[in-house]
Amino acid sequence: MMQFMLLFSRQGKLRLQKWYVPLSDKEKKKITRELVQTVLARKPKMCSFLEWRDLKIVYKRYASLYFCCATEGQDNELITLEIIHRYVELLDKYFGSVCELDIIFNFEKAYFILDEFLLGGEAQETSKKNVLKAIEQADLLQENIDFQTSLFAAPS
Amino acid sequence: MSPSVPLQEMIRAIRSARTQCEERGVIQRECAAIRAQFRQNDNGSRSHNLAKLLYVHMLGYPAHFGQMECVRMIASPRYSEKRVGYLGAMMLLDEKQDASLLITNSIKNDLSHSNQYIQSLALCTLACMGSAEMCRDLAPEIDRLLRSANSYIKKKAALCAVHIVRKVQDLGELFVSAARSLLSEKNHGVLHGAVVLITELCERNPETLERFRKTVPDLVQIMKGLVISGYSPDHDVAGVSDPFLQVRILRLLRVLGRNNETASDAMNDLLAQVATNTDSTKTVGNAVLYETVLTVLDIKSESGLRVLAVNILGRFLLNNDRNIRYIAMTSLQKIVVTDHNAVQRHRGTIVDCLKDQDASVKRRALELSLALVSASNIRSMMKELLVFLSSCPLELKAQAASGIFIAAERYAPSQRWHIDTILHVLTTAGGDVRDETVPNLIQLITNTSELHCYTVHKLYRALLEDISQQSLVQVACWCIGEYGDLLLRGECQETEPVQVTEDDVLDALETVLQSHMSSPATRGFALTATMKLSTRISDNVDRIRSIVSIYGSCIDLELQQRAVEYNALFKKYDHMRAAVLERMPVIQRNSSGQNSEDEELVLAQQPVCDLLDLLSGPQEPLQPSLAPAQPISTTTALMLDRFYIWTQKGFILEHNLDSGLLATLTASNSSDSDISSFTLQAAVPKVRLSVFVSELEQIMRNIKDGSIGVDGLSLNLFLILKYEITGINREGASTPNSLFLSFFKSGHDVLHLRSFIF
């Protein structure tokens, strides 16, 4: 199971954090700080896996963003890399050639996409098409309801 | 999709702030506005406000005042508000907050909503941050959803159930039947969720594991379908059909096949097929192969399959991708004990990885290399390890040094080689070795009497070159003090002798004494060595006397005490000086408390039987200082019927196996003093005992009806011994995994008992 996923920039700014284990805000901040420091200190050619506390950290850099996942002892590191890659592909398809700014200005969408792909720290849907379809439908639902509400809103 | 303009404007404003202070200002203003709007219950832009707050929270600013707003938004009938509300709940609320309980009712209602996207929000939130109480409350709902007709909901409910089981293990029972029926689904998402759920249930409950073993044929069928089937555009990743699902099924098969012959047999063919057919040019194929290898090595696979698996790991070792090499070494580490020869075949590649740039790869390579050292390859391996030691990163130096020492001790082809190796380590990494290295080395040198001359020459030369490595300097000083006469004699068989005068030697020692690089302990060594030389040299005794008297007023208390005592030795007790400073006798190996008279206990590989340690408590895992921190090597097990477990000055604890199934421990005391307060405790691991009893009954039944079953089983025995003799309390405890009682079937009808010691 994935315990948490962090997205951060080369300067160490957090762009997304998804936690699947209960931790206090203080603990989360501490973990984030330490892990970001550790990962940023790695040289470019180094291994994508490292052991940190009792977790296996799998990270990959896409352009200016680091995608970093913390998995448990039994988890397959190579498939976690594939999970990260799949998430990037989903973002890319949704935003059309995604870049860091897309994730900054539309962070809630990034979360919604993540929540359609992973659930409770595990992959819930293995077909890219199905994930994107679900997001599309949910977005439509949001728009329709908003549209309807605005149409039928009582005149103020 | 309509962009949340207010949100994006705020983000822009924050980002354009040039200093931290400016940013804080913007955020404070925004938060104040948000707080005000929360109070107003403004209908139009509630979700925008909460989204803004969540952004601020991600930057690290406090956002707890948004918690109640999340609760309110979740209860709203509007989808857009629910969506952001649930997102906020997952970010701001966790089970430790009281507010999280308030959303339980909303979640419950939303789980039965007519719109699947709203149901999905509730499921997602529950699986992300559901507390134990929430899980208990909502488990029946989740079970109902597991049986719904909607695949979209079913797959999410499955993972929700996984979370519930992780939080409250007992609730697992509830989901067993639903999980079973989910295996016949065609939808990959549902299948994936089902497999994860079943894996979780089986790992936590052995009875559930038994029940699900019957599903192995179904799982094999599903896997076959994935591996053999043609291209499926929906699930294909670089030529592999749904690798995520494949990996999870393989992992479940591992859990089901572990320790079970029948289940393992049923999956043998499939595993071979996956191992040979999966394309290993891309990472995704390697991910599946990796999981396959892990499964093969963990279940009771046939030897051909195991060889195949190890070969895959060997191929991984040669892969250009560093990640794959790292994975391979991690896996090889797990099997280096059980499949030692297979791993030995790849020794060359592993040793090459010592030179890799990546520190994690280096660490793995070091651990594996140390595990692969054996009597036949010790010389070549040691060369590589010593090269590694001179250039390895700091954090690995201590581990490498101690690993080298252990390997050298176990497999040294000659004494001289051993001493040379240790000296080499001390010169390259002397600052990183552990403290007990110095006494161990001294003991080794003392006991190698034929090499005293050689050793002292080498150490003297090393001392002249460099006095910064404390361990080296300490040993060198000690040697010069002990064997200074050999040094001065100017002749040596093993190495070229150095022409030194007494003054040269005393100069060297004084340099150490006065250098700021020397630690207090080192200076103590140097002072004592100087003193010892007073009986081994003839001309410069006065110089020694003056050195010693100078240190009589040294600030360092230890040095001062020594100097004063040595001074006294010169003045009042000169007649005793020669006797006091005599050559040291051969030192007994006391790291494991065994006397060397017990020949019966001398095992093939280890010089002493470290079954019981002298003064450590039962809780500590006992490791004599140079024992390897590695899994037990099966090569050092000895099967004995009669052996001494403990001997100490006439007190003996003996283990005896009669011809029957009885192991007897006998304690006897042949010393002059009495033994009192004698207690002996024997224990077996509780978990193991119930399994052991049922397995033993099974073997008895097999013997009775002549069927073939397990051949034998063993029980790890722990002993704790305490007694009092001549007023001193003695106690000892056996090292973990050192004594096993094993029952064997011989032929099909006789049961034997044997003891194994490691």
Side-chain angles (χ1 to χ4, degrees), chain B residues 482-526:
Chain B
E482 268 304 286
Y483 311 119
D485 48 332
L486 296 175
L487 187 62
L488 293 165
R489 211 179 294 160
E491 60 187 40
C492 183
Q493 284 172 327
E494 305 270 342
T495 180
E496 194 173 303
V498 49
Q499 302 299 333
V500 276
T501 64
E502 294 176 2
D503 271 317
D504 294 330
V505 177
L506 288 173
D507 281 342
L509 287 175
E510 248 191 305
T511 319
V512 173
L513 263 175
Q514 292 165 355
S515 164
H516 61 277
M517 286 192 279
S518 303
S519 70
T522 311
R523 294 165 87 197
F525 270 90

Side-chain angles (χ1 to χ4, degrees), chain A residues 1 15 23 45-48 51 75-76 106 116 122-126 129 137 139 142-143, chain B residues 1 8 58 83 117 152 155-156 166 192 234 242 248 251 287 291 322-323 326 358 364:
Chain A
M1 157 188 161
R15 298 302 177 205
L23 290 166
K45 292 271 183 172
M46 289 176 108
C47 197
S48 284
E51 273 131 42
D75 293 329
N76 183 326
N106 299 287
E116 274 303 323
E122 305 274 1
Q124 61 177 288
E125 179 55 66
T126 56
K129 197 176 76 179
Q137 294 293 336
D139 280 344
Q142 180 164 334
E143 271 185 49
Chain B
M1 63 204 138
Q8 299 199 334
M58 191 154 63
R83 219 182 180 191
Y117 296 103
Y152 181 72
K155 74 180 189 214
K156 294 181 191 256
R166 285 197 183 122
H192 186 275
D234 272 355
D242 207 336
R248 284 320 294 235
R251 187 163 149 185
E291 198 71 32
R322 183 171 277 122
N323 292 336
Y326 177 86
D358 186 314
R364 286 272 171 262

Side-chain angles (χ1 to χ4, degrees), chain A residues 100-137:
Chain A
E100 191 183 341
L101 282 177
D102 289 319
I103 300 183
I104 295 172
F105 281 96
N106 299 287
F107 72 96
E108 79 276 24
K109 303 275 176 17
Y111 276 103
F112 295 150
I113 296 173
L114 186 62
D115 285 338
E116 274 303 323
F117 176 43
L118 301 178
L119 196 82
E122 305 274 1
Q124 61 177 288
E125 179 55 66
T126 56
S127 150
K128 216 184 332 185
K129 197 176 76 179
N130 288 349
V131 177
L132 290 167
K133 209 162 50 170
I135 298 281
E136 204 184 298
Q137 294 293 336

Side-chain angles (χ1 to χ4, degrees), chain B residues 163-210:
Chain B
H163 175 85
I164 292 177
V165 172
R166 285 197 183 122
K167 278 280 180 232
V168 185
Q169 192 159 313
D170 302 327
L171 290 171
E173 268 305 307
L174 190 59
F175 300 121
V176 172
S177 58
R180 179 72 187 82
S181 48
L182 284 177
L183 270 186
S184 38
E185 289 278 330
K186 292 286 171 247
N187 180 303
H188 281 223
V190 178
L191 215 42
H192 186 275
V195 172
V196 177
L197 177 57
I198 296 174
T199 313
E200 197 66 36
L201 292 171
C202 291
E203 277 177 338
R204 283 167 192 275
N205 190 327
E207 284 162 13
T208 318
L209 176 61
E210 280 302 324

